[in-house]
Amino acid sequence: MADVLPDDLLAFVLARLSPRWLATSRRVCRSWRDAIDGHRLLRADLLPRSLGGIFLRANNVMFPLLFARPSSPPAIRGDLGGIFRAMDTMELDLGINDHCNGLLLLDDFVLNPATGRWACLPEPPAPDLPEFCYNMFLVFDPAMALHYEVVSIPEVLPGCYPLSQQLKESEWPPSPWVLRVFSSRTGLWEERTFVREGHGPPIGTIADVQSQYYHFHRGRNACSIFCRGRLYVECQNGFVSSDDQPEWVLRCDKNLRAMLPSRRSYRERGNGPWLLRYLLHDDEDGYKEDALLQDTHHSRLGNPHQPAVLMSPQRSRFQPPTGCLEPAALPSPLITADWWLELAVIRATQPMEWSSDMEDDPKSQDEAGGCNGDVDERDRILELMGHYIDFLGFHPYKEVSPPPPPPRGARPPPTPPYGNAGLLLAFCRGHAPHDVTHA
Amino acid sequence: MEVDKGKGEAEETRKVAEADRDTVTLKSSDGKLFEVSKEAAARLSTVLAGMIAGGSIDDNGTDLKQIGSEALENVVDYCNKHANSIPSAALISSSISFNTAPFKEPEEWERKFVDRLSHDALFDLVEAANFLGMERLLDVTCHKISEMMKGKSPDQIREVFNIKNDYTKEELEEIRQELAWAFYDD
């Protein structure tokens, strides 16, 4: 085809591909690579593939704070307070329900803190099963499409909520299962039907789920992971997976449970103080680095004169005591997207060394302020966090700019396309893996 | 340029006669003639619109030497179908802030129109649309070709488009590594 179409028309065609397919197309032949590179069609540098920071919500600040690596000016302001004031909203409960590749899902809107842009979700349709509670999960992969989806998944409530006998005896999850999915592509809530893969036997009934009910922690940051085109959601009963094939698929696979990181209540692990440590997972390098993170807009957390700083154990030469970092809290390599991020909270059970190890970056040391070796300040911050901590990693995503027009074309190529993100769902039981015996 | 007055008047008369016609005649590189609605041609092609406005349409067939008869037939077919189609409701002009400029999806009949074409005919039509400044047709045809690339491995793409792999094994590995994040398991 390279011989058939001139370079600029080839570029015009390729410009419609999402970053992932552009990356594939570069491998086809030299002329395709040259067309892609020559027209700067693939801006992988704009994709959220590295950790931008961590949002942290503490009980003495109204808006979640973004902690990011010190840079001047900050790469992302992440000033949710400013964004919300600009929105003129009366919304005060600013819990972040879910997040995905740079977008945040709040109660009824989706926000991109990197740009400050946001969109309200329309009222979801009345649920099929009003006896259930519904959780929303965000799906967004800019390497595939610039549209996001919000998936609404019902959760069985404990036995104290009465259900009809007929409902109790229904299988869970049902097959076919109709779920509500909001698509930013159409601006509408749509129904998608999932069918159990291979039309296998049911995993259990709703009564089973109720009888085994325990209130597993969802927290603000529900147990969902979107990676490599699949959404995994920790759920009560078995595993479900699906994709965008004509028939959506519901798959039962007990191995999925092992792939999900444990996110138990942080409270369950005892009182603070806590150290926040992030692990940037990378296929090649394993757990790549820990780093110092600094409050991007210098909110005061504890001390009115010093910006708050979270410091990684490694950078501060802190070695967690053996057994402190629970292996279950670490993501298995199976689940890791290239930009997969896992957060782990380490409970500090021993006195910590906080001497800074930031000789390579004197500026950071200055900005770290009184936290370097200042035990009182550190204790105070940690104490505050110990009371209430809620956080999530954040990958900034600023939209891919439209590439420049091909030289001969009469118009610029379209911005990256709006293909289906290849959604695939996987739910898993909130119980121990051996519970999923029917799988 | 000196123009003979008499000839100029004749030219004027001919132009008026032409302006009265509802169609224009286009001539392919291999000399075949096609008639197309003047209104549709002017609306869909910036180049034809310019020619019509500038009076450079030849009653006996405007020469389009760059376009073969098969591609021109498809162009004319597209214009006629477009003239007859009822424009669909405006695409959702979404208030969703993360959207970039809306890309107009091909309509059902447009999909069918390009689906029936062979690869060669499709590529010829892309070039014809580009030459004639037919933005919509160019969009539709390019969309179709890009759809043929999505979800395929490099090998599959080469097969579909009959492309020779001119990379060495080492280069391929290197280029794969450059963007390793994009490749799941192929």
Side-chain angles (χ1 to χ4, degrees):
Chain A
M1 187 173 109
D3 308 328
V4 183
L5 279 187
D7 174 79
D8 60 333
L9 282 179
L10 175 63
F12 193 65
V13 172
L14 290 168
R16 287 147 203 278
L17 296 176
S18 58
R20 184 171 169 217
W21 303 129
L22 278 173
T24 304
S25 297
R26 282 181 89 247
R27 293 162 63 193
V28 169
C29 65
R30 290 168 199 271
S31 57
W32 281 37
R33 181 195 58 190
D34 294 346
I36 290 166
D37 294 353
H39 293 92
R40 299 181 76 233
L41 300 180
L42 178 58
R43 294 295 309 276
D45 55 314
L46 295 179
L47 294 171
R49 297 185 49 245
S50 62
L51 180 70
I54 291 174
F55 274 109
L56 181 142
R57 194 176 189 219
N59 60 352
N60 65 335
V61 288
M62 182 178 266
F63 301 103
L65 306 175
L66 178 67
F67 283 75
R69 280 182 235 202
S71 69
S72 186
I76 317 112
R77 265 189 92 219
D79 177 13
L80 293 191
I83 293 170
F84 285 113
R85 278 186 284 273
M87 284 162 72
D88 194 24
T89 172
M90 293 304 287
E91 186 90 53
L92 284 177
D93 179 19
L94 296 171
I96 299 170
N97 289 330
D98 198 11
H99 66 105
C100 196
N101 284 323
L103 296 187
L104 305 180
L105 174 65
L106 290 97
D107 276 348
D108 53 1
F109 59 96
V110 174
L111 170 72
N112 183 350
T115 60
R117 295 162 77 179
W118 54 279
C120 275
L121 294 177
E123 186 77 20
D128 285 340
L129 299 167
E131 305 88 344
F132 290 52
C133 98
Y134 286 76
N135 299 299
M136 308 257 199
F137 300 92
L138 188 61
V139 171
F140 176 59
D141 182 359
M144 293 298 292
L146 289 181
H147 284 278
Y148 58 86
E149 295 186 325
V150 178
V151 186
S152 174
I153 296 168
E155 177 187 336
V156 179
L157 292 170
C160 54
Y161 293 86
L163 296 178
S164 72
Q165 195 58 31
Q166 190 193 359
L167 200 54
K168 276 185 173 179
E169 287 165 10
S170 313
E171 59 183 66
W172 193 258
S175 179
W177 195 6
V178 180
L179 292 180
R180 301 296 184 11
V181 179
F182 171 79
S183 160
S184 71
R185 183 187 169 87
T186 60
L188 300 170
W189 284 92
E190 299 162 0
E191 290 190 342
R192 290 207 192 137
T193 304
F194 296 76
V195 180
R196 193 177 301 120
E197 192 173 58
H199 301 277
I203 297 165
T205 63
I206 290 177
D208 292 340
V209 178
Q210 281 200 323
S211 68
Q212 298 165 11
Y213 187 92
Y214 84 112
H215 190 77
F216 63 92
H217 177 74
R218 283 193 179 282
R220 296 265 168 206
N221 182 8
C223 306
S224 76
I225 295 157
F226 181 67
C227 88
R228 302 201 161 184
R230 299 173 182 190
L231 173 68
Y232 299 85
V233 176
E234 190 164 14
C235 196
Q236 296 162 293
N237 191 348
F239 304 91
V240 181
S241 66
S242 72
D243 58 21
D244 62 342
Q245 297 307 305
E247 188 171 66
W248 290 55
V249 176
L250 193 86
R251 189 173 58 189
C252 304
D253 180 356
K254 61 184 173 188
N255 292 325
L256 283 178
R257 181 67 186 88
M259 292 160 67
L260 289 166
S262 152
R263 295 198 189 180
R264 284 195 287 145
S265 165
Y266 310 122
R267 286 166 204 258
E268 285 172 18
R269 302 185 195 177
N271 297 322
W274 303 92
L275 257 177
L276 181 63
R277 183 187 192 202
Y278 81 80
L279 302 166
L280 183 63
H281 201 277
D282 185 283
D283 278 350
E284 290 165 26
D285 304 344
Y287 298 106
K288 208 163 158 184
E289 58 179 315
D290 293 348
L292 176 129
L293 297 170
Q294 185 169 358
D295 175 7
T296 51
H297 49 290
H298 296 261
S299 301
R300 281 24 173 170
L301 195 69
N303 184 332
H305 304 297
Q306 297 290 347
V309 174
L310 298 177
M311 195 178 287
S312 80
Q314 198 180 68
R315 290 296 295 265
S316 58
R317 297 200 189 110
F318 166 71
Q319 295 300 318
T322 315
C324 191
L325 189 65
E326 296 173 37
L330 300 179
S332 133
L334 286 172
I335 192 80
T336 55
D338 295 326
W339 54 84
W340 165 242
L341 160 80
E342 173 60 8
L343 297 168
V345 175
I346 301 163
R347 186 179 172 205
T349 55
Q350 290 182 355
M352 292 165 281
E353 293 294 330
W354 273 81
S355 55
S356 170
D357 187 16
M358 295 186 291
E359 297 82 1
D360 53 325
D361 189 353
K363 193 161 175 291
S364 298
Q365 196 165 6
D366 291 338
E367 287 175 4
C371 287
N372 294 333
D374 184 340
V375 176
D376 290 343
E377 177 62 15
R378 180 253 328 201
D379 281 350
R380 203 130 67 88
I381 293 172
L382 293 179
E383 192 187 345
L384 278 168
M385 293 170 185
H387 292 165
Y388 186 99
I389 182 167
D390 191 9
F391 60 85
L392 56 85
F394 172 66
H395 313 274
Y397 176 61
K398 294 181 177 173
E399 284 128 312
V400 179
S401 310
R408 214 186 65 192
R411 64 212 64 76
T415 45
Y418 304 88
N420 194 306
L423 178 70
L424 190 145
L425 292 173
F427 304 82
C428 89
R429 188 194 287 264
H431 301 273
H434 66 261
D435 288 347
V436 192
T437 48
H438 302 90
Chain B
M1 193 172 79
E2 278 300 312
V3 179
D4 173 35
K5 202 183 169 196
K7 193 181 167 192
E9 274 172 5
E11 184 89 346
E12 238 2 82
T13 319
R14 202 179 61 76
K15 271 188 195 169
V16 171
E18 170 114 339
D20 289 344
R21 291 180 54 198
D22 291 340
T23 59
V24 289
T25 307
L26 304 174
K27 191 154 121 194
S28 67
S29 60
D30 46 348
K32 290 195 181 163
L33 297 177
F34 298 91
E35 286 223 343
V36 63
S37 135
K38 187 183 278 183
E39 183 276 327
R43 181 159 49 87
L44 297 170
S45 159
T46 53
V47 170
L48 291 178
M51 289 170 90
I52 291 165
S56 51
I57 288 285
D58 186 339
D59 217 1
N60 299 317
T62 304
D63 261 334
L64 298 172
K65 290 203 170 63
Q66 292 80 354
I67 304 177
S69 56
E70 193 191 357
L72 192 55
E73 186 176 356
N74 283 323
V75 166
V76 168
D77 195 12
Y78 176 83
C79 289
N80 291 337
K81 281 202 164 83
H82 205 285
N84 296 332
S85 79
I86 301 154
S88 66
L91 285 155
I92 299 146
S93 62
S94 175
S95 61
I96 290 150
S97 353
F98 309 121
N99 288 359
T100 46
F103 171 72
K104 284 182 197 137
E105 291 276 332
E107 294 186 24
E108 190 55 34
W109 72 267
E110 287 174 318
R111 278 181 202 281
K112 284 184 185 150
F113 179 79
V114 290
D115 279 351
R116 66 181 175 84
L117 300 175
S118 71
H119 285 191
D120 285 345
L122 185 59
F123 297 141
D124 287 346
L125 191 53
V126 169
E127 292 211 67
N130 187 51
F131 176 76
L132 291 170
M134 300 178 70
E135 192 168 340
R136 179 67 189 164
L137 181 56
L138 189 57
D139 260 350
V140 171
T141 47
C142 286
H143 179 84
K144 169 67 186 171
I145 298 174
S146 73
E147 287 293 313
M148 291 154 67
M149 300 172 180
K150 280 179 196 169
K152 293 196 170 68
S153 70
D155 274 341
Q156 289 168 325
I157 293 176
R158 286 186 206 109
E159 198 183 320
V160 168
F161 295 108
N162 194 20
I163 295 171
K164 191 176 173 303
N165 178 8
D166 53 3
Y167 285 123
T168 65
K169 211 174 170 186
E170 292 73 29
E171 282 174 325
L172 262 187
E173 185 49 33
E174 192 182 328
I175 200 167
R176 198 192 122 84
Q177 289 301 324
E178 280 172 17
L179 299 165
W181 57 265
F183 312 119
Y184 294 172
D185 32 40
D186 60 334

